[in-house]
Amino acid sequence: MDADIKETAHAVEAAAVMGLLPFRPRLLALGEPTHGEDSLLDLRNELFRQLVEQEGRRTIAIESDCLTGLVVDDYVTSGTGTLDEVMERGFSHGWGASAANRELVRWMRAYNEGRPASERVRFAGFDGPLEITHAASPRQALTALHDHLSALVDAELLPCTAETLDRLLGSEDQWTDPAAMTDPARSVGQSAEARELRLLADDLVALLDAQTPHLIMAASRDAWDRARLYGRTATGLLRYHFWMADTSPARMTRLCALRDTMMAHNLFAVAERGPALVHAHNSHLQREKSTMRMWQGPVEWWSAGALVSARLGEEYAFMATALGTIRHQGVDTPPPDTVEGLLYALPEDRYVVDSSRLATALGDTPLAPRVSHWYGYAPLDPAQLAGIDGMVFVKDVRRS
């Protein structure tokens, strides 16, 4: 069986990845089982460069704030700002401190220099402006949408003035209070003002839709795309804050699902732009339900990948990354009866794995789920092999 497994492994190159897929998907998703390891991001960067140069992919979308991601996209497409400013302001989750992310942005800007707009590479964050510990105020997205519409459509068509929005939004602190994540009573999401904002946001998005032909002619398709991003982010955040104030047992399930739903809608917009590489945690990109144990117990919800795959079908492909060791985090050699253990026995340091051929080679051989005692790493569930289109295996992740 070892020889059969070895035949499923190929060098980590774009050609090998695409060779596993029967179609050329619009969204090629590459997951990772842990965050913050630059060696994994370096591998992502190299794959993206090859996909751009050999396959014509023009966008990379990563698990970062969709609004701050606009800062990165402006820089790589037109040189707005400086690299230092972009790394400070263009990423959420602390990703801007990553040397690999900095190299990605530098390369994208250099690649675009002197190229026509149709050939430039683009950057997108596809996460909402939120995390499991907090959520942003809807002010930035809501006021940006209102500003765009007020500059281009008749004033009498607007459902409210900018002053009304400002009054209803109130102070930023009330929206961003981290205590609201564990104490619904601290959330303002179901206040009278927040309820009115949800209605106004819905009307602004409806106006944006109704005025689409005019808005594209009066500004540009890129400006309209950006306004749509503001609209879905504003409505998504207001919905998220509403359910932060919920006291039912389903509260955290709803919040986790809402976050991945926002991710999915951003990925649909990325797909409209053209073929892209998507990079995030495996749990956000897998086709199965995601699960997590939280302070109020276990929750499960459909991931962004599951939602996108259900809609896009063969236009979505998912490559999961599996790891052997992360010794600086206490993740040592995997047991031989796990997926990671079987792959760890192969001699190469990293390779692309044909997961369907691997499943065939395994036959009825039972595999145990790997157990990690470090919360920051999620091993591959062998039961999910059938739901992935391929794997990237990295034998040893060394300290960044």
Side-chain angles (χ1 to χ4, degrees), residues 361-391:
L362 291 172
D364 296 327
T365 304
L367 291 177
R370 186 182 188 183
V371 176
S372 171
H373 298 291
W374 178 48
Y375 73 95
Y377 163 61
L380 187 72
D381 183 349
Q384 294 184 1
L385 270 179
I388 60 180
D389 299 296
M391 279 188 292

Side-chain angles (χ1 to χ4, degrees), residues 29-85:
L30 175 66
E32 61 176 4
T34 186
H35 283 321
E37 298 294 341
D38 268 2
S39 60
L40 299 183
L41 301 187
D42 287 336
L43 184 150
R44 172 207 65 187
N45 291 353
E46 179 56 31
L47 271 180
F48 180 58
R49 284 193 288 268
Q50 293 181 21
L51 289 165
V52 168
E53 294 165 353
Q54 300 170 21
E55 297 286 336
R57 291 191 180 256
R58 289 288 177 264
T59 300
I60 186 167
I62 76 167
E63 185 185 338
S64 186
D65 184 332
C66 57
L67 296 184
T68 61
L70 297 173
V71 174
V72 184
D73 192 51
D74 285 344
Y75 175 75
V76 300
T77 55
S78 59
T80 303
T82 68
L83 181 56
D84 285 343
E85 292 168 349

Side-chain angles (χ1 to χ4, degrees), residues 11-21 28 47 51 319 352 389 392:
V12 182
E13 297 174 348
V17 170
M18 301 308 291
L20 298 181
L21 308 174
L28 172 60
L47 271 180
L51 289 165
M319 301 285 295
V352 172
D389 299 296
V392 172

Side-chain angles (χ1 to χ4, degrees), residues 70-273:
L70 297 173
V71 174
V72 184
D73 192 51
D74 285 344
Y75 175 75
V76 300
T77 55
S78 59
T80 303
T82 68
L83 181 56
D84 285 343
E85 292 168 349
V86 168
M87 299 313 297
E88 182 178 348
R89 297 175 44 235
F91 292 84
S92 60
H93 304 79
W95 301 156
S98 160
N101 281 336
R102 186 182 185 91
E103 175 56 22
L104 172 69
V105 175
R106 187 209 62 76
W107 178 84
M108 292 176 73
R109 178 65 202 137
Y111 181 88
N112 284 338
E113 193 69 47
R115 293 181 186 270
S118 62
E119 296 180 11
R120 293 175 193 156
V121 290
R122 303 284 301 271
F123 179 92
F126 73 92
D127 201 353
L130 43 83
E131 193 24 293
I132 203 65
T133 56
H134 64 277
S137 160
R139 181 184 300 275
Q140 179 186 355
L142 199 52
T143 55
L145 174 61
H146 188 278
D147 289 348
H148 180 76
L149 290 170
S150 61
L152 297 172
V153 303
D154 295 336
E156 60 266 23
L157 294 176
L158 294 167
C160 65
T161 65
E163 290 74 23
T164 297
L165 287 183
D166 187 61
R167 174 179 58 78
L168 292 171
L169 285 162
S171 71
E172 293 294 275
D173 291 348
Q174 65 178 344
W175 294 100
T176 58
D177 181 2
M181 183 51 73
T182 53
D183 182 3
R186 298 289 293 269
S187 172
V188 297
Q190 294 188 19
S191 66
E193 292 82 1
R195 291 172 186 271
E196 187 172 354
L197 283 169
R198 288 188 76 184
L199 294 174
L200 292 174
D202 183 69
D203 283 339
L204 287 168
V205 171
L207 180 59
L208 178 70
D209 289 341
Q211 293 291 317
T212 292
H214 165 68
L215 293 170
I216 292 175
M217 288 186 293
S220 67
R221 181 168 289 273
D222 272 354
W224 174 73
D225 278 338
R226 186 166 292 204
R228 291 169 68 211
L229 171 60
Y230 292 141
R232 63 179 176 268
T233 304
T235 55
L237 279 173
L238 285 164
R239 188 178 298 115
Y240 193 90
H241 280 285
F242 180 90
W243 288 108
M244 281 182 74
D246 180 42
T247 57
S248 78
R251 177 178 182 265
M252 288 310 303
T253 297
R254 280 200 179 95
L255 293 180
C256 290
L258 284 172
R259 180 186 178 193
D260 270 76
T261 300
M262 290 178 71
M263 287 183 171
H265 289 159
N266 286 330
L267 288 178
F268 291 134
V270 168
E272 289 177 14
R273 185 184 293 172

